[in-house]
Amino acid sequence: MSEAADTRQQFLSVATRLFAERGFYGTSIAAIADELPYTKQALLHHFGSKEKLYGEVLKGISDQLMTELEAARDATSGEGSSALEDTLIRFYRLLEGQTHKTQLLMRELLDNKHRATSANVWYLRPFLESLIALAKQASPSTFASDAQALITVYQLLGAMNYFLVSEPTLSQMFGEEMYRELRSGYEEKLRVLISQAIG
Amino acid sequence: MSEAADTRQQFLSVATRLFAERGFYGTSIAAIADELPYTKQALLHHFGSKEKLYGEVLKGISDQLMTELEAARDATSGEGSSALEDTLIRFYRLLEGQTHKTQLLMRELLDNKHRATSANVWYLRPFLESLIALAKQASPSTFASDAQALITVYQLLGAMNYFLVSEPTLSQMFGEEMYRELRSGYEEKLRVLISQAIG
DNA sequence: AACCATACTTACCACATGGTAAGCTGTCAA
DNA sequence: TTGACAGCTTACCATGTGGTAAGTATGGTT
Protein backbone atom coordinates (compact mmCIF):
# COMPACT_ATOMS: atom_id res chain seq x y z
CA MET A 1 0.00 0.00 0.00
CA SER A 2 2.65 2.48 1.00
CA GLU A 3 4.82 1.20 -1.80
CA ALA A 4 2.03 1.91 -4.21
CA ALA A 5 1.65 5.39 -2.79
CA ASP A 6 5.33 5.88 -3.29
CA THR A 7 5.16 4.75 -6.91
CA ARG A 8 2.29 7.11 -7.54
CA GLN A 9 4.29 9.90 -6.03
CA GLN A 10 7.24 9.13 -8.26
CA PHE A 11 5.01 9.25 -11.32
CA LEU A 12 3.52 12.54 -10.19
CA SER A 13 6.91 14.01 -9.57
CA VAL A 14 8.33 13.11 -12.95
CA ALA A 15 5.11 14.02 -14.72
CA THR A 16 5.08 17.44 -13.07
CA ARG A 17 8.58 18.17 -14.29
CA LEU A 18 7.98 16.96 -17.83
CA PHE A 19 4.58 18.61 -18.24
CA ALA A 20 6.11 21.85 -17.02
CA GLU A 21 9.04 21.63 -19.39
CA ARG A 22 7.34 20.34 -22.50
CA GLY A 23 3.64 20.92 -22.04
CA PHE A 24 0.77 18.44 -22.12
CA TYR A 25 1.00 17.50 -25.78
CA GLY A 26 4.77 17.55 -25.79
CA THR A 27 4.92 14.90 -23.08
CA SER A 28 4.03 11.28 -23.71
CA ILE A 29 3.14 8.93 -20.91
CA ALA A 30 5.84 6.61 -22.22
CA ALA A 31 8.41 9.36 -21.74
CA ILE A 32 7.29 9.75 -18.14
CA ALA A 33 7.49 6.04 -17.44
CA ASP A 34 10.88 5.81 -19.13
CA GLU A 35 12.40 7.91 -16.38
CA LEU A 36 11.25 5.40 -13.81
CA PRO A 37 11.66 1.66 -13.50
CA TYR A 38 8.08 1.08 -14.60
CA THR A 39 6.18 0.66 -17.82
CA LYS A 40 3.66 3.15 -19.08
CA GLN A 41 0.95 0.63 -18.24
CA ALA A 42 1.88 0.94 -14.60
CA LEU A 43 1.20 4.63 -14.99
CA LEU A 44 -2.16 3.95 -16.59
CA HIS A 45 -2.94 1.50 -13.84
CA HIS A 46 -2.48 4.21 -11.24
CA PHE A 47 -4.02 7.15 -13.01
CA GLY A 48 -6.42 5.77 -15.58
CA SER A 49 -5.53 8.14 -18.38
CA LYS A 50 -3.08 10.82 -19.36
CA GLU A 51 -5.73 13.47 -18.86
CA LYS A 52 -6.41 12.33 -15.31
CA LEU A 53 -2.72 12.26 -14.52
CA TYR A 54 -2.41 15.81 -15.77
CA GLY A 55 -5.36 16.76 -13.64
CA GLU A 56 -3.71 15.38 -10.53
CA VAL A 57 -0.50 17.17 -11.38
CA LEU A 58 -2.34 20.47 -11.73
CA LYS A 59 -4.29 19.91 -8.57
CA GLY A 60 -1.06 19.19 -6.76
CA ILE A 61 0.52 22.37 -8.06
CA SER A 62 -2.52 24.42 -7.18
CA ASP A 63 -2.59 22.99 -3.66
CA GLN A 64 1.08 23.62 -3.15
CA LEU A 65 0.89 27.16 -4.46
CA MET A 66 -2.01 27.86 -2.14
CA THR A 67 -0.26 26.34 0.85
CA GLU A 68 2.92 28.21 0.14
CA LEU A 69 1.10 31.45 -0.36
CA GLU A 70 -0.63 31.01 2.96
CA ALA A 71 2.61 30.01 4.63
CA ALA A 72 4.20 33.17 3.24
CA ARG A 73 1.33 35.18 4.62
CA ASP A 74 1.56 33.57 8.05
CA ALA A 75 5.30 34.11 8.19
CA THR A 76 4.76 37.80 7.66
CA SER A 77 4.37 40.01 10.68
CA GLY A 78 2.49 43.26 10.56
CA GLU A 79 -0.59 44.22 8.65
CA GLY A 80 -1.73 46.28 5.72
CA SER A 81 -0.08 46.81 2.39
CA SER A 82 3.49 46.44 3.60
CA ALA A 83 2.61 43.01 4.94
CA LEU A 84 1.17 42.15 1.55
CA GLU A 85 4.38 43.31 -0.01
CA ASP A 86 6.45 41.07 2.25
CA THR A 87 4.17 38.14 1.60
CA LEU A 88 4.45 38.49 -2.14
CA ILE A 89 8.23 38.77 -2.01
CA ARG A 90 8.35 35.69 0.16
CA PHE A 91 6.16 33.95 -2.34
CA TYR A 92 8.42 35.06 -5.14
CA ARG A 93 11.42 33.56 -3.37
CA LEU A 94 9.61 30.28 -3.09
CA LEU A 95 8.77 30.26 -6.75
CA GLU A 96 12.32 31.14 -7.64
CA GLY A 97 13.56 27.74 -6.59
CA GLN A 98 10.74 25.81 -8.24
CA THR A 99 10.38 27.13 -11.71
CA HIS A 100 8.26 24.23 -12.87
CA LYS A 101 5.35 25.47 -10.80
CA THR A 102 5.44 28.80 -12.55
CA GLN A 103 5.75 27.13 -15.90
CA LEU A 104 2.75 24.92 -15.28
CA LEU A 105 0.75 27.86 -14.06
CA MET A 106 1.40 29.75 -17.26
CA ARG A 107 0.88 26.76 -19.49
CA GLU A 108 -2.46 26.22 -17.89
CA LEU A 109 -3.44 29.81 -18.54
CA LEU A 110 -2.52 29.34 -22.18
CA ASP A 111 -4.04 25.92 -22.69
CA ASN A 112 -7.05 26.42 -20.51
CA LYS A 113 -9.39 27.17 -23.37
CA HIS A 114 -8.54 24.17 -25.47
CA ARG A 115 -7.78 21.53 -22.91
CA ALA A 116 -9.31 22.18 -19.54
CA THR A 117 -12.51 23.66 -20.88
CA SER A 118 -13.37 20.40 -22.53
CA ALA A 119 -12.68 18.53 -19.31
CA ASN A 120 -14.55 21.37 -17.63
CA VAL A 121 -12.43 21.32 -14.54
CA TRP A 122 -10.71 24.44 -13.40
CA TYR A 123 -7.80 23.43 -11.22
CA LEU A 124 -6.16 26.76 -10.55
CA ARG A 125 -9.24 28.43 -9.22
CA PRO A 126 -8.57 27.73 -5.54
CA PHE A 127 -5.14 29.28 -5.82
CA LEU A 128 -6.45 32.39 -7.53
CA GLU A 129 -9.21 32.72 -4.96
CA SER A 130 -6.70 32.44 -2.19
CA LEU A 131 -4.77 35.23 -3.88
CA ILE A 132 -7.83 37.44 -3.91
CA ALA A 133 -8.54 36.74 -0.27
CA LEU A 134 -5.01 37.66 0.63
CA ALA A 135 -5.19 41.02 -1.10
CA LYS A 136 -8.55 41.90 0.38
CA GLN A 137 -7.46 40.89 3.82
CA ALA A 138 -4.28 42.96 3.66
CA SER A 139 -5.91 46.04 2.28
CA PRO A 140 -9.72 45.96 2.43
CA SER A 141 -10.02 49.63 1.60
CA THR A 142 -7.93 49.49 -1.58
CA PHE A 143 -9.55 46.35 -2.87
CA ALA A 144 -13.26 46.82 -2.72
CA SER A 145 -14.26 44.05 -5.11
CA ASP A 146 -12.76 40.66 -5.86
CA ALA A 147 -12.06 41.78 -9.37
CA GLN A 148 -10.25 44.91 -8.27
CA ALA A 149 -8.11 42.90 -5.92
CA LEU A 150 -7.31 40.25 -8.43
CA ILE A 151 -6.45 42.61 -11.21
CA THR A 152 -3.71 44.24 -9.15
CA VAL A 153 -2.23 41.13 -7.63
CA TYR A 154 -2.47 39.57 -11.04
CA GLN A 155 -0.24 42.21 -12.53
CA LEU A 156 2.40 41.44 -9.98
CA LEU A 157 2.00 37.73 -10.38
CA GLY A 158 2.36 38.25 -14.12
CA ALA A 159 5.50 40.28 -13.76
CA MET A 160 7.20 37.73 -11.54
CA ASN A 161 6.03 34.69 -13.42
CA TYR A 162 7.05 36.13 -16.73
CA PHE A 163 10.50 36.83 -15.44
CA LEU A 164 10.94 33.42 -13.87
CA VAL A 165 9.75 31.64 -16.96
CA SER A 166 12.14 33.56 -19.16
CA GLU A 167 15.27 32.10 -17.70
CA PRO A 168 16.24 30.11 -20.81
CA THR A 169 15.56 33.08 -23.03
CA LEU A 170 17.43 35.63 -20.96
CA SER A 171 20.33 33.28 -20.33
CA GLN A 172 20.62 32.78 -24.02
CA MET A 173 20.49 36.48 -24.78
CA PHE A 174 22.87 37.75 -22.13
CA GLY A 175 24.80 34.70 -21.07
CA GLU A 176 24.36 32.77 -17.86
CA GLU A 177 26.59 34.95 -15.76
CA MET A 178 24.78 38.10 -16.74
CA TYR A 179 21.50 36.34 -16.11
CA ARG A 180 22.48 35.50 -12.55
CA GLU A 181 23.24 39.13 -12.02
CA LEU A 182 19.93 40.16 -13.53
CA ARG A 183 18.14 37.74 -11.30
CA SER A 184 19.84 38.77 -8.13
CA GLY A 185 18.82 42.35 -8.84
CA TYR A 186 15.32 41.43 -9.79
CA GLU A 187 13.95 40.91 -6.33
CA GLU A 188 14.55 44.52 -5.42
CA LYS A 189 12.97 45.69 -8.66
CA LEU A 190 9.99 43.54 -7.93
CA ARG A 191 9.70 44.87 -4.43
CA VAL A 192 9.53 48.40 -5.75
CA LEU A 193 6.94 47.44 -8.30
CA ILE A 194 4.83 45.74 -5.67
CA SER A 195 4.96 48.55 -3.18
CA GLN A 196 3.94 51.01 -5.86
CA ALA A 197 1.17 48.89 -7.24
CA ILE A 198 -0.52 48.31 -3.90
CA GLY A 199 0.52 51.41 -2.02
CA MET B 1 3.61 32.73 -58.49
CA SER B 2 1.32 35.22 -56.82
CA GLU B 3 -1.20 32.49 -56.29
CA ALA B 4 1.48 30.44 -54.64
CA ALA B 5 2.41 33.35 -52.45
CA ASP B 6 -1.22 33.65 -51.52
CA THR B 7 -1.43 29.98 -50.63
CA ARG B 8 1.66 30.29 -48.49
CA GLN B 9 0.12 33.24 -46.76
CA GLN B 10 -3.05 31.33 -46.06
CA PHE B 11 -1.04 28.52 -44.52
CA LEU B 12 0.92 30.96 -42.41
CA SER B 13 -2.21 32.66 -41.23
CA VAL B 14 -3.97 29.50 -40.13
CA ALA B 15 -0.78 28.08 -38.67
CA THR B 16 -0.22 31.20 -36.60
CA ARG B 17 -3.67 30.98 -35.12
CA LEU B 18 -3.48 27.29 -34.34
CA PHE B 19 0.05 27.33 -32.95
CA ALA B 20 -0.97 30.21 -30.72
CA GLU B 21 -4.07 28.45 -29.47
CA ARG B 22 -2.75 24.93 -29.08
CA GLY B 23 1.02 25.16 -29.11
CA PHE B 24 3.52 23.45 -31.35
CA TYR B 25 2.90 19.88 -30.24
CA GLY B 26 -0.81 20.39 -29.95
CA THR B 27 -1.10 21.39 -33.58
CA SER B 28 -0.72 18.87 -36.39
CA ILE B 29 0.07 19.94 -39.92
CA ALA B 30 -2.98 17.99 -41.02
CA ALA B 31 -5.14 20.14 -38.75
CA ILE B 32 -3.74 23.25 -40.37
CA ALA B 33 -4.35 21.98 -43.88
CA ASP B 34 -7.85 20.85 -42.95
CA GLU B 35 -8.88 24.46 -42.49
CA LEU B 36 -7.88 25.20 -46.06
CA PRO B 37 -8.74 23.61 -49.39
CA TYR B 38 -5.35 21.92 -49.56
CA THR B 39 -3.74 18.74 -48.36
CA LYS B 40 -1.02 18.62 -45.76
CA GLN B 41 1.41 17.71 -48.52
CA ALA B 42 0.78 21.08 -50.10
CA LEU B 43 1.89 22.54 -46.80
CA LEU B 44 5.01 20.41 -46.76
CA HIS B 45 5.68 21.39 -50.36
CA HIS B 46 5.74 25.05 -49.38
CA PHE B 47 7.51 24.88 -46.06
CA GLY B 48 9.54 21.69 -46.07
CA SER B 49 8.76 20.63 -42.53
CA LYS B 50 6.59 21.47 -39.55
CA GLU B 51 9.57 22.90 -37.74
CA LYS B 52 10.35 25.27 -40.60
CA LEU B 53 6.76 26.37 -40.82
CA TYR B 54 6.80 27.14 -37.13
CA GLY B 55 9.98 29.07 -37.63
CA GLU B 56 8.38 31.22 -40.29
CA VAL B 57 5.37 31.82 -38.08
CA LEU B 58 7.58 32.95 -35.22
CA LYS B 59 9.68 35.12 -37.46
CA GLY B 60 6.51 36.72 -38.78
CA ILE B 61 5.26 37.42 -35.28
CA SER B 62 8.58 38.79 -34.18
CA ASP B 63 8.75 41.09 -37.21
CA GLN B 64 5.22 42.32 -36.67
CA LEU B 65 5.76 42.95 -32.97
CA MET B 66 8.90 44.90 -33.79
CA THR B 67 7.19 46.93 -36.47
CA GLU B 68 4.23 47.66 -34.27
CA LEU B 69 6.41 48.62 -31.36
CA GLU B 70 8.31 51.02 -33.57
CA ALA B 71 5.11 52.36 -35.03
CA ALA B 72 3.83 52.95 -31.52
CA ARG B 73 7.04 54.78 -30.70
CA ASP B 74 6.84 56.93 -33.83
CA ALA B 75 3.22 57.81 -33.17
CA THR B 76 4.20 59.12 -29.78
CA SER B 77 5.08 62.76 -29.47
CA GLY B 78 7.35 64.08 -26.78
CA GLU B 79 10.37 62.54 -25.17
CA GLY B 80 11.60 60.94 -22.02
CA SER B 81 9.79 58.56 -19.72
CA SER B 82 6.30 59.84 -20.38
CA ALA B 83 6.80 59.16 -24.07
CA LEU B 84 7.88 55.64 -23.19
CA GLU B 85 4.73 55.31 -21.14
CA ASP B 86 2.57 56.38 -24.07
CA THR B 87 4.39 54.05 -26.41
CA LEU B 88 3.91 51.06 -24.17
CA ILE B 89 0.23 51.82 -23.72
CA ARG B 90 -0.17 52.13 -27.46
CA PHE B 91 1.58 48.83 -27.83
CA TYR B 92 -0.71 47.27 -25.27
CA ARG B 93 -3.74 48.44 -27.25
CA LEU B 94 -2.34 46.80 -30.34
CA LEU B 95 -1.78 43.53 -28.55
CA GLU B 96 -5.26 43.69 -27.07
CA GLY B 97 -6.84 43.01 -30.44
CA GLN B 98 -4.42 40.30 -31.46
CA THR B 99 -4.15 37.94 -28.59
CA HIS B 100 -2.52 35.23 -30.64
CA LYS B 101 0.68 37.25 -30.84
CA THR B 102 0.90 37.43 -27.09
CA GLN B 103 0.13 33.77 -26.80
CA LEU B 104 2.87 32.81 -29.23
CA LEU B 105 5.30 35.08 -27.47
CA MET B 106 4.66 33.38 -24.17
CA ARG B 107 4.64 29.91 -25.62
CA GLU B 108 8.00 30.56 -27.14
CA LEU B 109 9.37 31.70 -23.81
CA LEU B 110 8.14 28.48 -22.28
CA ASP B 111 9.18 26.11 -25.03
CA ASN B 112 12.37 27.84 -25.96
CA LYS B 113 14.58 25.49 -24.01
CA HIS B 114 13.21 22.30 -25.43
CA ARG B 115 12.34 23.23 -28.96
CA ALA B 116 14.15 26.26 -30.30
CA THR B 117 17.41 25.50 -28.58
CA SER B 118 17.76 22.32 -30.54
CA ALA B 119 17.05 24.19 -33.75
CA ASN B 120 19.39 26.82 -32.35
CA VAL B 121 17.50 29.71 -33.80
CA TRP B 122 16.27 32.44 -31.57
CA TYR B 123 13.43 34.18 -33.33
CA LEU B 124 12.25 36.64 -30.72
CA ARG B 125 15.62 38.20 -30.17
CA PRO B 126 15.13 41.12 -32.61
CA PHE B 127 11.93 42.08 -30.88
CA LEU B 128 13.49 42.02 -27.45
CA GLU B 129 16.44 44.01 -28.68
CA SER B 130 14.12 46.55 -30.15
CA LEU B 131 12.44 46.77 -26.76
CA ILE B 132 15.75 47.45 -25.07
CA ALA B 133 16.65 50.12 -27.59
CA LEU B 134 13.33 51.79 -27.01
CA ALA B 135 13.82 51.98 -23.27
CA LYS B 136 17.38 53.26 -23.52
CA GLN B 137 16.40 55.83 -26.06
CA ALA B 138 13.53 57.12 -23.98
CA SER B 139 15.44 57.30 -20.75
CA PRO B 140 19.19 56.89 -21.16
CA SER B 141 19.90 58.00 -17.63
CA THR B 142 17.58 55.47 -15.97
CA PHE B 143 18.69 52.58 -18.10
CA ALA B 144 22.43 52.46 -18.07
CA SER B 145 22.88 48.92 -19.27
CA ASP B 146 20.92 46.75 -21.69
CA ALA B 147 20.12 44.40 -18.89
CA GLN B 148 18.81 47.15 -16.63
CA ALA B 149 16.62 48.43 -19.40
CA LEU B 150 15.27 45.05 -20.33
CA ILE B 151 14.53 43.98 -16.82
CA THR B 152 12.19 46.90 -16.28
CA VAL B 153 10.43 46.84 -19.60
CA TYR B 154 10.24 43.13 -19.22
CA GLN B 155 8.27 43.46 -16.02
CA LEU B 156 5.74 45.59 -17.79
CA LEU B 157 5.60 43.33 -20.80
CA GLY B 158 5.07 40.46 -18.42
CA ALA B 159 2.24 42.19 -16.62
CA MET B 160 0.37 43.03 -19.81
CA ASN B 161 1.01 39.73 -21.55
CA TYR B 162 -0.05 37.77 -18.54
CA PHE B 163 -3.29 39.65 -18.33
CA LEU B 164 -4.04 39.34 -22.04
CA VAL B 165 -3.33 35.66 -22.06
CA SER B 166 -5.60 35.04 -19.11
CA GLU B 167 -8.79 35.96 -20.87
CA PRO B 168 -10.22 32.43 -20.91
CA THR B 169 -9.31 31.93 -17.28
CA LEU B 170 -10.71 35.20 -16.02
CA SER B 171 -13.83 34.94 -18.15
CA GLN B 172 -14.46 31.57 -16.67
CA MET B 173 -13.90 32.75 -13.12
CA PHE B 174 -15.88 35.96 -13.21
CA GLY B 175 -18.12 35.61 -16.22
CA GLU B 176 -17.69 37.35 -19.55
CA GLU B 177 -19.46 40.52 -18.59
CA MET B 178 -17.34 41.02 -15.52
CA TYR B 179 -14.28 40.26 -17.58
CA ARG B 180 -15.07 43.00 -20.07
CA GLU B 181 -15.32 45.40 -17.15
CA LEU B 182 -12.04 44.18 -15.76
CA ARG B 183 -10.42 44.63 -19.11
CA SER B 184 -11.72 48.09 -19.73
CA GLY B 185 -10.33 49.14 -16.39
CA TYR B 186 -7.05 47.40 -16.92
CA GLU B 187 -5.50 49.93 -19.25
CA GLU B 188 -5.55 52.60 -16.58
CA LYS B 189 -4.09 50.22 -14.03
CA LEU B 190 -1.36 49.36 -16.46
CA ARG B 191 -0.62 52.99 -17.14
CA VAL B 192 -0.11 53.61 -13.46
CA LEU B 193 2.15 50.61 -13.16
CA ILE B 194 4.20 51.73 -16.13
CA SER B 195 4.62 55.29 -14.99
CA GLN B 196 5.76 54.12 -11.58
CA ALA B 197 8.12 51.52 -12.90
CA ILE B 198 9.95 53.86 -15.22
CA GLY B 199 9.41 57.18 -13.49
C1' DA C 1 -5.94 -24.11 1.37
C1' DA C 2 -8.78 -21.13 -1.28
C1' DC C 3 -9.73 -16.63 -2.41
C1' DC C 4 -8.96 -12.14 -3.74
C1' DA C 5 -7.38 -7.62 -4.42
C1' DT C 6 -3.29 -4.82 -5.55
C1' DA C 7 0.64 -3.78 -8.30
C1' DC C 8 2.43 -4.53 -11.87
C1' DT C 9 4.02 -6.76 -17.00
C1' DT C 10 3.72 -8.44 -21.83
C1' DA C 11 1.19 -8.41 -25.86
C1' DC C 12 -1.60 -5.91 -28.75
C1' DC C 13 -4.23 -2.40 -31.34
C1' DA C 14 -6.30 1.42 -33.90
C1' DC C 15 -5.13 5.61 -35.11
C1' DA C 16 -2.61 9.97 -35.77
C1' DT C 17 1.75 11.73 -36.63
C1' DG C 18 5.49 13.95 -39.77
C1' DG C 19 7.51 12.85 -43.85
C1' DT C 20 8.87 10.51 -48.65
C1' DA C 21 8.04 9.17 -53.45
C1' DA C 22 6.01 9.60 -57.46
C1' DG C 23 2.89 11.38 -60.46
C1' DC C 24 -0.43 14.82 -62.61
C1' DT C 25 -1.47 19.51 -64.53
C1' DG C 26 -0.92 24.06 -66.03
C1' DT C 27 2.25 27.85 -67.45
C1' DC C 28 5.88 29.83 -69.60
C1' DA C 29 10.45 30.15 -71.91
C1' DA C 30 13.49 28.40 -75.74
C1' DT D 1 6.75 21.51 -79.68
C1' DT D 2 9.23 20.48 -76.27
C1' DG D 3 11.11 20.77 -71.83
C1' DA D 4 11.25 22.32 -67.35
C1' DC D 5 9.47 23.71 -63.39
C1' DA D 6 6.03 25.32 -59.90
C1' DG D 7 2.08 23.81 -57.43
C1' DC D 8 -0.27 20.67 -56.24
C1' DT D 9 -2.46 15.38 -55.26
C1' DT D 10 -2.67 10.41 -54.26
C1' DA D 11 -0.36 6.64 -52.32
C1' DC D 12 2.34 5.05 -48.93
C1' DC D 13 5.18 4.37 -44.67
C1' DA D 14 7.67 4.05 -40.20
C1' DT D 15 7.10 5.56 -35.87
C1' DG D 16 4.79 7.12 -31.82
C1' DT D 17 0.53 7.75 -29.52
C1' DG D 18 -3.04 6.70 -25.75
C1' DG D 19 -5.42 2.89 -24.42
C1' DT D 20 -7.30 -2.24 -23.81
C1' DA D 21 -6.91 -7.10 -22.62
C1' DA D 22 -5.07 -10.55 -20.41
C1' DG D 23 -2.17 -12.18 -17.82
C1' DT D 24 1.62 -12.97 -13.47
C1' DA D 25 3.42 -12.34 -8.90
C1' DT D 26 2.61 -11.24 -4.13
C1' DG D 27 0.76 -10.54 0.13
C1' DG D 28 -3.17 -10.44 3.17
C1' DT D 29 -7.97 -12.56 4.68
C1' DT D 30 -10.99 -16.09 5.77
Side-chain angles (χ1 to χ4, degrees), chain B residues 79-141:
Chain B
E79 284 188 351
S81 64
S82 85
L84 179 56
E85 179 187 324
D86 284 349
T87 299
L88 288 176
I89 287 287
R90 233 178 268 272
F91 186 60
Y92 167 74
R93 284 196 196 132
L94 274 166
L95 286 182
E96 226 182 346
Q98 314 176 44
T99 323
H100 57 274
K101 290 183 186 171
T102 313
Q103 289 172 318
L104 267 171
L105 191 71
M106 285 185 61
R107 286 199 188 278
E108 190 50 15
L109 290 179
L110 282 165
D111 292 340
N112 185 269
K113 196 167 185 179
H114 262 90
R115 228 215 57 268
T117 300
S118 63
N120 220 17
V121 189
W122 184 212
Y123 297 103
L124 295 179
R125 185 170 189 134
F127 166 62
L128 289 178
E129 273 167 356
S130 160
L131 206 58
I132 294 175
L134 181 79
K136 289 182 79 173
Q137 178 195 333
S139 186
S141 60

Side-chain angles (χ1 to χ4, degrees), chain A residues 95-145:
Chain A
L95 286 181
E96 227 183 343
Q98 313 177 41
T99 323
H100 57 274
K101 289 183 186 170
T102 313
Q103 289 171 318
L104 267 171
L105 190 72
M106 285 185 61
R107 286 199 187 278
E108 189 51 15
L109 290 179
L110 283 165
D111 292 340
N112 185 269
K113 197 168 185 178
H114 262 91
R115 225 217 60 266
T117 300
S118 63
N120 219 18
V121 188
W122 184 213
Y123 297 102
L124 295 179
R125 190 174 186 128
F127 166 61
L128 289 179
E129 273 168 353
S130 161
L131 207 57
I132 295 175
L134 180 78
K136 291 182 76 172
Q137 178 196 330
S139 185
S141 60
T142 316
F143 304 124
S145 69

Side-chain angles (χ1 to χ4, degrees), chain A residues 1 4 7 37-39 41-42 45-46:
Chain A
M1 197 59 126
T7 306
Y38 303 102
T39 62
Q41 278 70 18
H45 168 72
H46 282 292

Side-chain angles (χ1 to χ4, degrees), chain B residues 30-188:
Chain B
I32 296 167
D34 279 354
E35 298 212 5
L36 293 167
Y38 303 103
T39 60
K40 67 168 182 169
Q41 279 68 18
L43 188 158
L44 286 172
H45 169 72
H46 282 291
F47 298 95
S49 73
K50 185 186 181 184
E51 192 73 43
K52 286 179 190 164
L53 168 66
Y54 189 70
E56 288 209 34
V57 165
L58 271 189
K59 181 165 180 357
I61 290 295
S62 174
D63 285 352
Q64 287 170 43
L65 285 175
M66 242 184 70
T67 307
E68 287 168 0
L69 185 65
E70 281 159 12
R73 179 198 58 198
D74 297 339
T76 306
S77 60
E79 284 188 351
S81 64
S82 85
L84 179 56
E85 179 187 324
D86 284 349
T87 299
L88 288 176
I89 287 287
R90 233 178 268 272
F91 186 60
Y92 167 74
R93 284 196 196 132
L94 274 166
L95 286 182
E96 226 182 346
Q98 314 176 44
T99 323
H100 57 274
K101 290 183 186 171
T102 313
Q103 289 172 318
L104 267 171
L105 191 71
M106 285 185 61
R107 286 199 188 278
E108 190 50 15
L109 290 179
L110 282 165
D111 292 340
N112 185 269
K113 196 167 185 179
H114 262 90
R115 228 215 57 268
T117 300
S118 63
N120 220 17
V121 189
W122 184 212
Y123 297 103
L124 295 179
R125 185 170 189 134
F127 166 62
L128 289 178
E129 273 167 356
S130 160
L131 206 58
I132 294 175
L134 181 79
K136 289 182 79 173
Q137 178 195 333
S139 186
S141 60
T142 316
F143 304 125
S145 68
D146 281 12
Q148 278 307 309
L150 184 62
I151 208 174
T152 300
V153 188
Y154 213 76
Q155 279 193 327
L156 302 173
L157 190 68
M160 67 174 85
N161 278 15
Y162 204 77
F163 180 73
L164 287 172
V165 148
S166 302
E167 184 198 325
T169 298
L170 295 176
S171 292
Q172 221 172 7
M173 273 192 83
F174 293 105
E176 284 187 33
E177 197 184 344
M178 185 66 177
Y179 172 72
R180 272 194 298 277
E181 230 179 287
L182 263 181
R183 178 132 159 189
S184 71
Y186 185 76
E187 187 181 305
E188 197 44 40

